[in-house]
Amino acid sequence: MNILVINCGSSSLKFQLIDSESEKVIAKGLCERIGIEGSRIVYQKPGADKKITEAPMQDHKAAIGMVIDALTDGQDGVVKHLSEIGAVGHRIVHGGEKFASSTKIDDTVLAAIEECSELAPLHNPANLIGIRACAELMPGTPMVAVFDTAFHQTMPEEAYLYGIPYRYYEKDKIRRYGFHGTSHSYVSKRAAEVIGEDIHKLKLIVCHLGNGASVSAVKYGESVDTSMGLTPLEGLIMGTRSGDLDPAIVEFIAHKEGMTLEEVMRVLNKESGVLGLSGGFSSDFRDLEDSYHAGKPEGTRAMKAFAYRVAKYIGAYTAAMNGVDGICFTAGLGENSPLIREMVCGYLGYLGVSLDEEQNAKRGEDLIVSTADSKTKILVIPTNEELAIARETYALVK
Ligand code: ADP
């Protein structure tokens, strides 16, 4: 069955058409600048050049219309008719406490996702627009919602509660939810296969290190803790997000700089992280690595602080699970940067970690990058959130 995977952002839409049997990508692409001047669709078939078409897209419905046109195009399309698309899988950012797994979309589910919009005001409304547009343009095609938060719903109370009055949890559901769940789930399952052990016998830590970054503790196949919280701002130092900080800093900056709460939150979301630490030099780790190798302070202090924070979380989660069998690196930085893995593993001597330099220099495949005698295994597992969404979707509609 051909599954269309849709990931709707506020002004962008990523898509992949995946064959559920071969698990191969048939076509993929991206609509950019939806509702803004200069919108365009980038469309690509495997092995072929990207085809970029500039076209006005006033809203997400127009964008999905363009995606359907591209997929069914007589010349560059990959299906003859819409009926060859068996189901649509939507990535939904926040499922709150309502969704602990993926689910087929109906009116009740739509209403529940809408209710969760309060928790993710930038993301869920865009996701909902994507669902509604597909429902209009592809009537009768089953749709599935796959939530970023669902995998972490197994966290115990002591991990998800914040140390604030309990009434805020009861009344407003303020708690840790965690994100990147599809990736943490996919990578932990794959890691168990690569290690060759039943996931129900393994204690794993997954480090999803991209522009957004989070760590999770996966004990016997279930997420028991994760570094992102009510929102994706908590936890690791990220590309532009601060991660953990003393909450009093918010008030302190607001007073000192004469800023509103919204302005301070913007600084913490958009101007902080390694971008902020490097004095505004770059949020891209390729630039920071160059700076680090050249011995310059900007990149060096940002990389060191980043790696230290990851290592601290690994320590915390090792304690939370009373041990760890494997530590997995994934996403843009985790998959592609031998240096960051080396810097993080430099802190893990107490876990008997020993990196295999030659293995650690490889990229692009599932790898064990620790030596055979390393007490804790270190793995690199390229994540594939679209494939994970396609699998979940197929499982619910087949
Ligand atoms: P997101 O999906 O959160 O936007 P990605 O998982 O795509 O992020 O990761 C993007 C980040 O990965 C980039 O900002 C860059 O810093 C890092 N990255 C990608 N390739 C490399 C590389 N070869 N070396 C170091 N860092 C890399």
Side-chain angles (χ1 to χ4, degrees):
M1 182 191 288
N2 293 327
I3 312 273
L4 179 60
V5 176
I6 299 271
N7 182 354
C8 251
S10 55
S11 67
S12 70
L13 184 160
K14 290 189 210 149
F15 66 94
Q16 282 195 9
L17 190 68
I18 296 176
D19 174 6
S20 62
E21 235 169 83
S22 66
E23 300 203 323
K24 294 235 160 73
V25 176
I26 303 168
K28 64 177 180 177
L30 164 72
C31 299
E32 292 173 301
R33 302 180 62 84
I34 300 169
I36 311 172
E37 188 122 344
S39 46
R40 58 185 208 157
I41 175 168
V42 182
Y43 174 78
Q44 192 176 25
K45 288 193 285 189
D49 287 339
K50 282 182 182 162
K51 189 179 159 198
I52 299 172
T53 313
E54 307 233 350
M57 286 175 232
Q58 63 181 36
D59 54 23
H60 286 76
K61 191 175 158 195
I64 288 174
M66 299 271 309
V67 171
I68 292 173
D69 287 349
L71 292 172
T72 52
D73 182 72
Q75 202 177 334
D76 290 317
V78 286
V79 293
K80 286 200 188 71
H81 191 262
L82 263 188
S83 60
E84 289 174 43
I85 297 174
V88 185
H90 291 271
R91 178 200 175 202
I92 310 293
V93 168
H94 220 305
E97 285 188 330
K98 294 179 195 297
F99 298 101
S101 59
S102 304
T103 182
K104 266 176 102 166
I105 298 175
D106 59 19
D107 287 346
T108 320
V109 169
L110 262 182
I113 296 173
E114 190 129 42
E115 269 181 57
C116 296
S117 285
E118 191 185 38
L119 295 166
L122 294 179
H123 294 101
N124 274 32
N127 300 158
L128 278 165
I129 291 171
I131 295 177
R132 293 201 169 105
C134 279
E136 268 189 59
L137 296 169
M138 310 171 70
T141 309
M143 298 198 285
V144 168
V146 181
F147 301 92
D148 262 26
T149 48
F151 181 60
H152 301 301
Q153 277 296 301
T154 44
M155 278 188 287
E157 198 179 49
E158 60 270 28
Y160 71 67
L161 284 181
Y162 289 113
I164 57 176
Y166 190 64
R167 63 175 182 275
Y168 293 119
Y169 169 63
E170 290 180 301
K171 188 163 76 64
D172 301 320
K173 290 284 172 253
I174 295 177
R175 51 159 286 179
R176 175 182 310 288
Y177 290 97
F179 298 88
H180 294 140
T182 316
S183 177
H184 288 290
S185 167
Y186 174 89
V187 169
S188 55
K189 286 194 186 97
R190 189 72 200 110
E193 285 169 11
V194 172
I195 292 171
E197 180 62 272
D198 181 356
I199 194 166
H200 300 106
K201 292 185 182 154
L202 286 172
K203 296 172 183 174
L204 298 169
I205 293 174
V206 179
C207 307
H208 177 110
L209 310 180
N211 205 7
S214 68
V215 191
S216 68
V218 183
K219 189 178 182 184
Y220 309 144
E222 289 188 345
S223 173
V224 292
D225 205 348
T226 190
S227 58
M228 283 178 167
L230 173 76
T231 76
L233 185 56
E234 194 183 350
L236 299 180
I237 293 171
M238 305 180 213
T240 64
R241 295 189 194 119
S242 64
D244 297 337
L245 45 76
D246 177 348
I249 290 173
V250 176
E251 188 198 27
F252 196 88
I253 294 180
H255 277 170
K256 268 271 194 215
E257 307 284 328
M259 288 161 91
T260 62
L261 260 187
E262 288 72 23
E263 285 166 342
V264 179
M265 292 316 291
R266 198 192 135 71
V267 170
L268 298 182
N269 274 300
K270 304 275 185 203
E271 296 172 28
S272 298
V274 287
L275 174 69
L277 271 173
S278 66
F281 170 61
S282 180
S283 65
D284 193 309
F285 278 87
R286 284 162 284 207
D287 302 332
L288 297 170
E289 283 195 17
D290 290 344
S291 163
Y292 176 90
H293 287 305
K296 294 191 180 153
E298 305 83 34
T300 304
R301 68 172 173 261
M303 299 262 313
K304 280 181 152 177
F306 179 90
Y308 178 71
R309 182 75 56 90
V310 176
K312 251 173 53 165
Y313 266 98
I314 291 173
Y317 291 168
T318 301
M321 296 192 290
N322 190 20
V324 60
D325 300 304
I327 299 166
C328 319
F329 288 87
T330 194
L333 176 66
E335 290 167 27
N336 293 305
S337 171
L339 175 63
I340 209 72
R341 297 194 293 263
E342 195 184 303
M343 288 173 79
V344 171
C345 289
Y347 287 100
L348 308 180
Y350 71 102
L351 290 174
V353 163
S354 138
L355 264 190
D356 181 325
E357 255 181 63
E358 212 174 292
Q359 283 291 98
N360 191 40
K362 294 183 184 169
R363 65 177 61 175
E365 52 185 315
D366 297 327
L367 290 167
I368 295 181
V369 296
S370 47
T371 58
D373 62 352
S374 181
K375 272 202 204 138
T376 306
K377 289 191 167 48
I378 307 295
L379 299 99
V380 177
I381 308 283
T383 193
N384 192 339
E385 289 169 281
E386 290 78 14
L387 176 59
I389 292 173
R391 281 182 182 165
E392 299 261 319
T393 303
Y394 181 64
L396 284 169
V397 302
K398 68 178 177 196

